[in-house]
Structure formats: C-alpha cells, structure tokens
Amino acid sequence: MELTFSGAALQILQSTGFSAINSGQVIMLGVACVLLYLAIWKKFEPLLLLPIGFGCLMANLPMSMMMSTDDGGLLNFFYQGVKYEILPPLIFLGVGALTDFGPLLANPTTLLLGAAAQIGVYTTLVGAVYLGFDLQEASAIGIIGGADGPTSIFIASKLAPHLLAPIAVAAYSYMSLVPLIQPPIMRWLTTGKERKIKMAQLKPISQTVKIVFPIVVTIICCLMLPAVTPLLGMLMLGNLFRESGVTARLHETSETHLINIVTILLALAVGSSMTAESFLKLETIKIIVLGLLAFCMATAGGVLFGKLMSKLSGGKVNPLIGSAGVSAVPMAARVSQKVGAEEDHTNFLLMHAMGPNVAGVIGSAVAAGVFLSLFGDPTAPGPESHAAIESVVQSMVQR
Amino acid sequence: MELTFSGAALQILQSTGFSAINSGQVIMLGVACVLLYLAIWKKFEPLLLLPIGFGCLMANLPMSMMMSTDDGGLLNFFYQGVKYEILPPLIFLGVGALTDFGPLLANPTTLLLGAAAQIGVYTTLVGAVYLGFDLQEASAIGIIGGADGPTSIFIASKLAPHLLAPIAVAAYSYMSLVPLIQPPIMRWLTTGKERKIKMAQLKPISQTVKIVFPIVVTIICCLMLPAVTPLLGMLMLGNLFRESGVTARLHETSETHLINIVTILLALAVGSSMTAESFLKLETIKIIVLGLLAFCMATAGGVLFGKLMSKLSGGKVNPLIGSAGVSAVPMAARVSQKVGAEEDHTNFLLMHAMGPNVAGVIGSAVAAGVFLSLFGDPTAPGPESHAAIESVVQSMVQR
Amino acid sequence: MELTFSGAALQILQSTGFSAINSGQVIMLGVACVLLYLAIWKKFEPLLLLPIGFGCLMANLPMSMMMSTDDGGLLNFFYQGVKYEILPPLIFLGVGALTDFGPLLANPTTLLLGAAAQIGVYTTLVGAVYLGFDLQEASAIGIIGGADGPTSIFIASKLAPHLLAPIAVAAYSYMSLVPLIQPPIMRWLTTGKERKIKMAQLKPISQTVKIVFPIVVTIICCLMLPAVTPLLGMLMLGNLFRESGVTARLHETSETHLINIVTILLALAVGSSMTAESFLKLETIKIIVLGLLAFCMATAGGVLFGKLMSKLSGGKVNPLIGSAGVSAVPMAARVSQKVGAEEDHTNFLLMHAMGPNVAGVIGSAVAAGVFLSLFGDPTAPGPESHAAIESVVQSMVQR
Amino acid sequence: MNDALLTSITVSGIAILVIFLVLTILIFTIKLLVHLLPYKAPPPQPRKAQQPPAPQNAPSDVDTDIAVITSVMASHLSRTPGNHQVINVQSR
Amino acid sequence: MNDALLTSITVSGIAILVIFLVLTILIFTIKLLVHLLPYKAPPPQPRKAQQPPAPQNAPSDVDTDIAVITSVMASHLSRTPGNHQVINVQSR
Amino acid sequence: MNDALLTSITVSGIAILVIFLVLTILIFTIKLLVHLLPYKAPPPQPRKAQQPPAPQNAPSDVDTDIAVITSVMASHLSRTPGNHQVINVQSR
Ligand code: NA
Ligand code: NA
Ligand code: NA
C-alpha cells in the first residue's frame, strides 16, 4: 500500500503541467506577464490587453485546454466568435454608439485626412511584401496602420488567421503608444508657424444631418465596398442608435454592457490564439517592426496631407490635425491638441482634430473593404465578381 | 502599366454593389428608408422598426452577405436565434419583468376581453384562407391581430417562415398605429352614454397572489396548450422575477440589458429576412390588408364584448376598455383612457383598461398555443398527439 | 358538422398535457413548487433556486419540449452551455469580480482552513462509494461538500451528467442551510474558552499584492492541476478586473449583467434536467443524505483544523473561523461571527473568517481539479497523462 | 364556399372556444386565489417612524450589521475592533 | 524589383485611389446634406421659462399624464379618482 | 472492506495531500509577495487639501482638461475659443 500510495502521488505529479511544459510555453507565459504589466501599470489599452494577456497566460498553461485550437475548450468556444467574424462587428456597434461624428460633419474635408493617414497601410503593405509575406498577409499587417483594433482582428481573421495573435497585439500596443510615437514626427514635419495656425470655429450641425449621415454612409460605402458591411454597417447602426433620439435603451446597452461582454469574449479569444507556435517566430518580429512603420507612416501621411490642405486653404488648416487621421480615438486628437498647445497655449485644436480622428475610423474601414474586395474569400462577395478581380491580380502578378 | 492600372480600376468598379444591384434591391432600400423614417420621425415602435429597417438596408446592399439566407454572414448568425425560436421567448422574459398584472388580478373578468379581442385573429384567419393562403400561413397572418410582436415572430418562424418579414413588419407597424386605428371604431360601436360609464375602484391585491399568479398561469395554460410554453412560461418567469421580491438582480437584467441585447439581435435578424424575393410579392400586400383587418376586428371584438359585459353587469363596465384587449401594452389602454376622457374628462379608465390590456398578451399567447397545437411541427408536441389532430383536420378538410 | 366539431374538440382535449401527464411529472411539479416556495418564502439561494424551480416546472409540463433532453427545445439550447462547460466558468468570472481576497492575503495561513474543509468532500466520496456509486459519481457527489454551486455543476456535468440535477439542487439547498447546519457542530466541537479568543488585527495589504495574487494563483494552481483552469482561471480573471483598477467597465459588467444573464441561463438549464427519470430515484435520496454528511464533515474538518491551528499558534486563532472554510461566501463567515458573538459580543470574527471563507472557494476548485486529473475525460487533459493515471487507479482497484 | 374556407371557420370556432375555456378557468382560479389570499392592508406607516428609537427590534440583523461595520472600520483604520464601538445602525 | 513587389505597389495605388474616391464622394454628400438641412438655432431658452404658466400648450400629453397620475394615486390610496384632482403637470 | 472502498480511501488520501501541498505552496508564495511588496500607507489625506492652490502640479493633465472644456464650450456657444478663458480645473 505504501508503495502504491507514493507511486500514485508520483503519477499525479507527472500529470501536472510542470511535466509537460516546454520552453515555448515558458516564454509565452513571460509574454503574457509583460502584456499584463503593460496593461495594468503602463495603462496600455487595458480593456483589451489585460484580458488578451490573461487569455495568453491560460492558453500557455500546458493541458489547460484553453488554446483557441483546443476543440471543446472554453476559449475555443469564444474563438468561434472571432473566426466567424461575429464579435468585431458587435464591438463596432458599441464604438458607433460612443462616437460623435459632429466635428466631422462640421468640417467634412477632414475626411481626406482620414484617407491620407491610410498611406501607412500601403507603405506597410509594400514593406511586408518586401519582407516575404504574401499579399493577403501583407494586407492584414498593413491594416495595423489603421489603428483600429476590431478592424485589424476582422481582417486578420479573414485574410491571415495564422497571424491574428501578433497583429492584434501589435495593433493595440501601438494604439497605446500613439502619444509617444506621433509627437516627434509631427514636430519634425511641421514648422513652428504652421503649428501656431488657429482654425475657425466649427459650425453647428442640425440633428437631422446627424441622423441621416450614418444611413447615407452605409448606403454609399457598402455599395462601393460590400465586404465591409458587417463592420461599417454595424458602426453606423450604433451611431444611429445614438443620434436618432428614439432608441435610448438600445444606445445605452450598445455602448455599455454589450460592448463590455463582447470585449471580454473577443480579448480572451485573441489571447487564446497566442500559442508558442503562432507567436514565437520571425514573422512576429517582422510584424512588430512593420506595425511601427505603419504607425509612423500613417502619422506622416496625415501631417503631410494636412500641410497640403493648409497650403491650398491659404493657411486656414493647422497641419497638426492631420496626425489624428490614424483614428485611435480620442488619443490621437489629444496628441494634436497637445503638440499645438506646446507652441501656443491658447490654440485649441482638439475639436478640429476630432473630425479627422473619426474620419480615420471610416478611412480604415474603407481600406479594409478594399482589401476584402481584392483578396477576400471567393465565396463571400459573390464568386463571379471575385473571379474577375482574381484574374486582374493574377495578370498583374504574372506580368 | 497605365492600361493595367485603369483596367484594374475598372474591375474594382465592376465588383462594387453598383454593378450587381437589381431593381428589387433598390425598391427594398426604399422600403428600408421608409421604415427608418417611420421609426425615427413618426416614432413607430422605434426600438424594433429602427433596427429592422437598418437590417433590411444592409441585407439589400448587394454582395454585403447580410441576408438571413447568406450562410456564414453576420445577420445569418443572428437569424438562427429566430429560426430556432430562442430570441422571442427571451424578449417575453423581459416583457414579463416589465408587466404589472395587478389590474388584471383586481378585475379578472377582464380576461374575457383579452379573449374576445382574439376574434380579430380568427376573422383574419378566415380572410387569409379566402385570399388563397393555406391554413398554416393564414394562422401566422391572423396572429398579427394579437398585436404582439414576439408572438407573431414566434408563430411565423414556426408555421410560415417564408412570410416572417412581412408579418413582423405589419405587426409592429399596426401596433404603432393603434392610436389612429382604434378610436373611430370605438366611437362608432359605443353610445355616448356607454362611454361615460365610470368604473368602480380596483381592489388592492395581496403580494402573495401576485407571486402565485405567474406560477398558476404557467401550470394551467401550458398543461392545456403545451406548445406555447416557451413564450408563456418565459413571460411568467420574468413576472415572477419581478413580483417575488427575492431576485431583484435577475429582474433588473431581464427588463433592461438582456431584453435590449435580444431586441437588437432579433430586429436585425427580422430585417435581414426582408429580401426582395420574400417581400416584393402580392402576398405582402395581402398581409398588410389582412393585418389592418385583424386590428380593426380585434378592436371591434373587444368593444362589442365590452358592451355585452356592460349589459350583463348592469352598466358597471365601460365598453371602451374592451379595445385594450388587443394588447399593444400600454398604448391600447391609453387609447381607452383618451376616448373615455373625450366624453367626460373626469373619467379615468386607464387602470381599468390595463386589465384587458395585459389580458390581451395572455390571450394572444393562448391563441398562438391553439395554432401550434393544431398546425405545429409534428415532432414538436409529441408525434402521436399530433397525428391525432392531423387526422381530425384532414377529415375536416376532406369533408 | 356538429359531430365533427365536438369530435375535434375532443381531439384537442386529448392533445393537452392533461392526457399525457404521468405520475412522475405530477410529483416533479410538486418538487418544483417546493423549490419555488423555498426560494421565495424561505429565501434559499433565490437567485438560483427560483429559476431552477421554474425550469423544473416547465420541463415537467408534458409535451412542452422544455426538458434538457428535448432536441431543439428552448431549454435544450441553454443546456448546451452546461454540457460544454461554458456557463459555470462565466459565473466564476463574476464571482471573482465580486470577491475581495484581501483578508486571505492578510492572513494566508487561513488557506489551510480552506483545505481542511475539503475533508467533507472526501468523507462523502468514501461514503458514496460505500453506498454503491462508482468513483466518478462519488467524486461529483463529494464536491457538494465544497459548498460551491458552479463548481458542483461543472464537475457533475463532466463526471456524472446523469446526476447533475440532484447534485445541483443539493448543493444550493445546503448552502442556504449553512446558518442552520453549522452552529450546533461548531458549538459541540469547541470550548467556550476557544470561542472567546480574540484575533489580532489584520495587516493592510498593498494593492500590488492584490493585483499580482490572481495572476500567481492561476499560474501555480493551473500548472499543478490543469483541468481546473476554466474555473479557477476565470475566477482569477474576474478578480483581476476588480483589483487592477484599469478595467472598471469589464469589472462592472462581470459582476452585474453578465453574471445575471449567465445565472438565468444556467439555472433554467439545470432545472430543465430535473425530469422524473433523472430525479425520482433512490440515488437522489442518497445524494441528499450524502450532501448533508458532506456539509457536516466539512464544517467539522474546518473547526478541528482551526483547533489545531489555535493550539500551534498558542491561542492566537479562534477555531470558529475554521467552519467558514466551506466557502458559501459570505454566509459561512457570518455564521462564524455570530457563534463567536454569542459567547462574547465584543468579539469581531467576521473579517478573520472572510480569509478561510474565500480560501474555501479556492480549496474546492483545487479539489475539483484533483478529481478532474484523476477521473476526467481522457481526451481532455492529454491522453498520455490520463492513461498513466488510469493504470495507477486500475492497479489500485484490482489489488 | 370551398372546403378550405369551411375548415378555417371550423378551426376558428374551436379555437375561440378553447381560448374562452382556458381564460375562464384562469378567471375562476384567480378568484379562488384572491379569496384564499386576501389583501391585508400593511400596518400604517407612521408607526414605523417610532420604531428606530427602540433598539431591541430585530436584534440579530442589526447585530450583524454592527459587526460588519466595526470589522471593516477596524480593518480600515488599522486598529483593534475593541478600540471603538458602533452603537446603533438604522436600516434604510 | 520583383513581381510581388510591383503587384503590391499597384494594389496600393488602386486602393489609395478607391479610398480617396469613396471619401470624396462622402464629402460632397455631407456638404449636400448640410446644405439641404441647415442648422436652425433652437428658439432661445429663456422663452421656455415663460411657457409653464400657460396651461393650454400641448394639452393632450399633459392630459394623459394627469390621467395616469390620478389613476395610479387613486389605486394607491384605494379611493375613487373623482375624490381628488391633479391640477397641472410640468414636464421635466 | 471491498476494493472500491479501498480505492476511494486511497484516492481521498492522495487528494488531501495534493490539496494541502498546493495550498501550502500558495501560502508561501503569498508570504513572499507580501514581503517583497509591503504595504505603504498612502500620504496623509489632509496634505491633498493643500494641493489645489498650487496650479503647477500635473500641468499636462489639467491643461488637457482646460483645452477640452474650452473647445466644447466654444463649440456650444458658437464662439471662438479665444473669446473666453477657462482658468483652472480642480479634479474630483
Ligand atoms: Na484609422
Ligand atoms: Na393580444
Ligand atoms: Na469550498
């Protein structure tokens, strides 16, 4: 009996995670702790990075059945919501309910700044192809420059699911670093005189325009880029809940408990996909470098286009608001305000920067739509239309 | 290169929705905008019609993959909650949590008014058969007269899923029109003297009765009509959360964020089923006409039975409260109050009308149960019992 | 016509539940009413027992399609969340968000009291085997002594799904009876002098320790007992939402509407599994007796270990706080306080008892992990490790 | 009149009968319930205003509340519970 | 420069054009909307302070509110609605 | 005593050992944590009451707050931000 007892205890010991853990998992546990540290003590997008980090922690405890690939595991269930692209659109419903498009409507030309900031997406696309990624992977990496977590997750899960984990982590990490990354670029590309430009007061907008806007955006953008409807349509529905004034209940739920529940599920699912095999590889480092490039180029693109608008308008536009075009609402707009106030503390750019800031959300959704049109699943946007595009792309590749 | 560039751009253009849109979709986009207009500016049941309209809008943007029939599409996922009858019972849980059955308990004979108002269901059933619908379709159309959105959706998804979209839209639209449809009928069928009848004060009800009531209703009604248990049982569970006084947490969640989340999913799912093929057909017009008939007959049935009760009780019942038996809580009760106050502004019928009003909810659930017993899926309420009913119905048909 | 009319009515009558109801269902309806009575008027864990009782009521209305085994029925959908172990971990997320581990951190040796109270689990295990249950069933029954509803449901659905209903009902019922069951045992096992011991003031704990604690517990416990990660990991994630101070939104949702929604679904699912076949059998009575034994032994184990700690510490520990080690937060801690105050009303044991009380939650999760390691599904914690354990257990059995 | 129409009328007739039957049973059940469990007016509210001064009412609950508050305060102030005393707690 | 790189540059060019095209269309749509539906300053707030004294404004809504309150109070006080009267209700 | 009973006792023994082992490891981990990260009493509250008068503390945050408020007010009043000035903002 003594023998069996100690033998059984030995067996129990062998069945613990200690016996099965490998070096990759140990490193990933370290990565998880770094993410938790950044989320809690550095306040890097804690609403996402804390549950992502904890999901990563649980997924890398051996035999815990918490990896996104463990059939029947708890986080595998949540991961279905990422795989089938259900959770990111629900996040966007909440984002729409939280977003005020008023400043954009008061100065619609700032939409161009939201477009210009997408330049970061495309330089990164080219850079990623140069580093050996294929076009679909490169698109998913490029969209990090759009500075929109849900959009990045949506596109990655569609075009490059094997890169989902590093792309999501890079997107949210760099969004948190916006206050560090952007100011030097902004100062370097603008003159003191430009930074001192004061912009004219925004005109008030009628509530009817605010109500009609989400409907019109949905019709126009989703007609032109049908594949982006789940993201952009839900964003605009959330905004319609907000502005219509007749659906206060749905508005409140969308922007509080619904987005919170979906955030918990989404972030745990993303974390559960951070396995050693998917994360500890050269690609991750490339993605981190490319992500930084994407953010820098997006900022530069926005600021340079801002300078152009400043010139063309005869000095009525402060180019500093261009950097807000990356989205990362409302941090990027606060950075514009802060850099402007350094030069002249009576200059209030915040409201003006909110226009390009929310334009950046629409801009990266549109950029995502272009990628989905070009590289999306053939069954998704109608087989015949896709075949047509494919032939074009192939003809370009074979040239 | 120039050539390929422009060629590719042309291809992109051809892959947009503009190239694929057909006239049916254009008309449905118009229908969606009409629904949004009615919801936002005319305040027609905006909590439902706004997301239904927006779901319809997204579903009819070509290649957006937002139709209820697009496998793997976002709204197709939500639609599963309608198809498998999960969402309507959860709505009813919230409705139960929001409903005070006190006025009904204080004057239980008003339950008969909730029964009488179902006459609209049956005249419409006969009318629908006359217009060429089969018995199952006619039942689903008739239930519009019950003036209960979730019940209509539940029955339609079970008996006539191909008619779900027009039935749901008709049900919610006419519920919003109750203040316009009912008053002329009420005035036409009653005399000034009847409208002036003041009713005796309602007696207070002990809390114990309020707690026991939902349990007893579930046992009695669901024993008699088992197929209605998902609807009626969940309604009564919500009410038990409310009245028991020991489940405040569950009560609060049921009547706020849970019902809100489910409403968003349900309404988007219903909207996504509003495709040109399912909506732009003669049947829709017939359903709209029959729905109006159903509401008018339900109102008339309630008022006429109210007159009968008034006679039998020796003038203690104001027949105007009969129209509240259609449900459409609390609008129909307010209409009773308003028409009564037109005749004598010191006459307060509101509380008295709340009795038949909530009775109408139970009444249409019971009516739904009868239809499900007669025409429901053979596997659902036990094969042998169904076979028995089928033989009766067939014998009636073959006669 | 007359004839067919009455014939049809007869058929309708035969299709009601009255014709199909059997004696088992009648008894179960009575059981459901008893549960509702205990929940509403005796306030026995009403948040769980009220919806469990109502689910039982609906499931036992014949042909209502509300049994957990009715494919396609409403409650069958909710039951999937129990079967696939999704709902209990989400409950634990909320429990973690509601729990303050501060008193435990201030006096970590009280963790041993949470371990000692698990003695109830094991005496019950032996007792259950003695009464004829197999090892898996006996483990699931034993865990009732852990006084944790979600843990009991989690283990039962994994090791003995056919006993889920009586185990869940016994667990929640006895948790409500803690204030009746524990005091006599506590008084019997302690001397008046012991009950008068005043404990030293708890030292304050830095917030950093409170943040690091859930992370460290997850790593240590889930490395040693991987199978318990869904429960313990989610518990600790909820606590991290609470203590990190950077995820207030997620914390609020976890401890309110998310746990409420999951509670409704879980409790209805458990209720729906209370069919006559699964509940009205000798095993249920055995389980009820064994459950009482489990609670008594757990209380005794905690108190006796408390006496040991009292001796070893030179009278610094009041053994009354040992009984709080069963979990049943915060009732068991209040019982410790109350029994202590009976002896000396200036003795405040409540905060000291909160330590073993939350330790009991961790303790029964760990106990659950041991069972899952030993008897869990072979595919779950890695096939090779399980095979090793199986051989040990079989060698023990065959001896 | 065709067969389908006749059937629909028959079905309607049966259904109306069933509805009235079910709801009539409900009416009598409610009347029975109200008869068995009559409403009792709650004791007049003013009397409650006089209760707080009398501390002996419901001693167990108040005692627990005091214990909770004392412990938490002691923990918060880093002092021994004996050092201060919570005299009375009024429920909301 | 290899083919893949050339393709990626082509794709980028097309994509940037599409984005600017879509957002430019949006800009003109917004300008059109703002032009068609101009902002109208709400009537000055102070005037509103003078409204409550005039009870004839929006009689239907206030009437319904009074009816609701009267009924509920009557029900609560167990009295006939005629026994008391709610004179006026001010909206928030 | 039969085999199953013996097995159950063995299992119980092992399980109790494992539980005490795991929780003992936890105890020492907690003691280590508490030792490494000791509680530091927060600086006394009264000192905070003296802080607001000194506006140079945390200028960046207050500056941002002022900027936000000024912009929003300007937008609301339809005036240029320069026309009015927000002097100081006290955090809650
Ligand atoms: Na962006
Ligand atoms: Na009705
Ligand atoms: Na426990």
Side-chain angles (χ1 to χ4, degrees), chain C residues 204-207, chain D residues 76 78, chain F residues 38-48:
Chain C
I205 291 296
S206 82
Q207 191 60 30
Chain D
H76 178 69
S78 302
Chain F
Y39 177 76
K40 280 166 203 139
Q45 293 293 90
R47 209 184 282 171
K48 196 159 196 179

Side-chain angles (χ1 to χ4, degrees), chain B residues 17-236:
Chain B
F18 288 113
S19 63
I21 200 163
N22 58 43
S23 58
Q25 287 166 326
V26 172
I27 296 171
M28 288 311 294
L29 290 178
V31 170
C33 289
V34 169
L35 285 181
L36 290 173
Y37 172 79
L38 292 175
I40 299 172
W41 283 282
K42 296 294 166 191
K43 299 196 172 39
F44 273 31
E45 291 281 321
L47 294 177
L48 268 296
L49 284 190
L50 189 148
I52 287 179
F54 207 86
C56 172
L57 183 83
M58 293 194 286
N60 286 285
L61 294 168
M63 300 187 286
S64 66
M65 292 291 288
M66 291 297 235
M67 288 191 291
S68 64
T69 50
D70 287 327
D71 275 346
L74 180 69
L75 300 190
N76 175 262
F77 282 107
F78 300 171
Y79 190 75
Q80 307 305 311
V82 175
K83 189 174 163 193
Y84 291 108
E85 287 137 18
I86 300 168
L87 299 179
L90 288 175
I91 297 264
F92 255 44
L93 182 75
V95 171
L98 284 161
T99 302
D100 176 11
F101 285 110
L104 174 65
L105 294 170
N107 194 1
T109 47
T110 56
L111 266 172
L112 293 178
L113 293 169
Q118 307 311 319
I119 203 88
V121 171
Y122 300 107
T123 47
T124 311
L125 166 71
V126 174
V129 169
Y130 182 75
L131 290 183
F133 292 100
D134 69 28
L135 270 173
Q136 300 208 357
E137 293 168 340
S139 304
I141 295 167
I143 218 82
I144 297 174
D148 251 310
T151 306
S152 297
I153 292 171
F154 188 84
I155 294 295
S157 74
K158 219 157 184 158
L159 298 184
H162 56 292
L163 300 180
L164 173 64
I167 287 174
V169 170
Y172 282 110
S173 301
Y174 286 128
M175 277 164 68
S176 310
L177 289 174
V178 152
L180 293 180
I181 295 173
Q182 290 197 322
I185 299 168
M186 293 159 74
R187 287 189 209 107
W188 182 56
L189 289 175
T190 53
T191 65
K193 200 179 152 198
E194 282 170 336
R195 293 200 289 277
K196 278 185 185 144
I197 293 173
K198 291 194 183 183
M199 294 179 67
Q201 178 60 31
L202 292 176
K203 274 163 288 176
I205 291 296
S206 83
Q207 191 59 31
T208 312
V209 171
K210 287 188 172 184
I211 296 172
V212 172
F213 173 71
I215 301 169
V216 165
V217 168
T218 305
I219 294 176
I220 291 178
C221 293
C222 300
L223 264 179
M224 298 195 72
L225 299 160
V228 83
T229 311
L231 275 189
L232 200 62
M234 294 300 273
L235 180 77
M236 291 302 153

Side-chain angles (χ1 to χ4, degrees), chain A residues 13-238:
Chain A
L13 197 71
Q14 286 173 349
S15 82
T16 66
F18 289 113
S19 63
I21 201 163
N22 58 43
S23 58
Q25 287 167 325
V26 172
I27 296 172
M28 287 312 294
L29 290 179
V31 170
C33 289
V34 169
L35 284 181
L36 290 173
Y37 172 78
L38 293 175
I40 298 172
W41 283 282
K42 296 294 166 189
K43 301 197 171 36
F44 274 30
E45 291 282 322
L47 293 177
L48 269 296
L49 285 188
L50 190 148
I52 286 178
F54 207 88
C56 172
L57 183 85
M58 292 194 286
N60 286 284
L61 295 167
M63 301 188 285
S64 67
M65 291 291 288
M66 290 298 234
M67 289 192 291
S68 63
T69 50
D70 287 328
D71 275 345
L74 179 69
L75 300 190
N76 175 263
F77 282 106
F78 300 173
Y79 190 74
Q80 307 305 312
V82 174
K83 190 173 162 194
Y84 291 108
E85 288 137 17
I86 298 168
L87 299 178
L90 288 174
I91 297 265
F92 255 45
L93 182 76
V95 171
L98 284 161
T99 302
D100 176 11
F101 285 110
L104 174 65
L105 294 171
N107 193 0
T109 47
T110 56
L111 265 172
L112 293 178
L113 293 169
Q118 308 311 319
I119 203 88
V121 172
Y122 300 106
T123 47
T124 310
L125 167 71
V126 175
V129 169
Y130 181 76
L131 289 183
F133 291 100
D134 69 28
L135 271 174
Q136 300 208 355
E137 292 169 340
S139 303
I141 295 166
I143 217 82
I144 297 174
D148 251 309
T151 306
S152 297
I153 292 170
F154 188 84
I155 294 294
S157 74
K158 218 156 186 161
L159 298 184
H162 55 293
L163 300 180
L164 173 66
I167 287 175
V169 169
Y172 282 109
S173 301
Y174 286 127
M175 277 164 68
S176 309
L177 289 174
V178 152
L180 293 179
I181 295 173
Q182 290 197 322
I185 299 169
M186 293 159 72
R187 288 190 208 104
W188 182 56
L189 289 175
T190 52
T191 66
K193 199 180 152 199
E194 283 170 335
R195 292 199 290 276
K196 278 184 187 146
I197 292 173
K198 290 194 182 181
M199 293 179 68
Q201 178 60 32
L202 292 176
K203 274 163 289 175
I205 291 295
S206 82
Q207 191 59 30
T208 313
V209 172
K210 287 188 172 185
I211 296 172
V212 172
F213 173 71
I215 301 170
V216 165
V217 170
T218 306
I219 295 177
I220 292 178
C221 293
C222 299
L223 265 180
M224 298 194 72
L225 299 159
V228 84
T229 310
L231 276 188
L232 200 62
M234 294 300 273
L235 180 77
M236 291 301 153
L237 176 59

Side-chain angles (χ1 to χ4, degrees), chain A residues 223-224 233 249 253 257 380 392, chain B residues 11 16-17 65 255 257 259-260:
Chain A
L223 265 180
M224 298 194 72
R249 285 179 74 114
T253 292
H257 294 288
V392 173
Chain B
Q11 292 284 0
T16 65
M65 292 291 288
E255 73 172 6
H257 293 288
I259 192 175
N260 293 351

Side-chain angles (χ1 to χ4, degrees), chain C residues 114 117-118 121 143-148 151 298 324-328 356-365:
Chain C
Q118 307 311 319
V121 172
I143 218 81
I144 297 174
D148 252 311
T151 306
V326 298
S327 38
N357 209 184
V358 297
V361 179
I362 298 176
S364 35

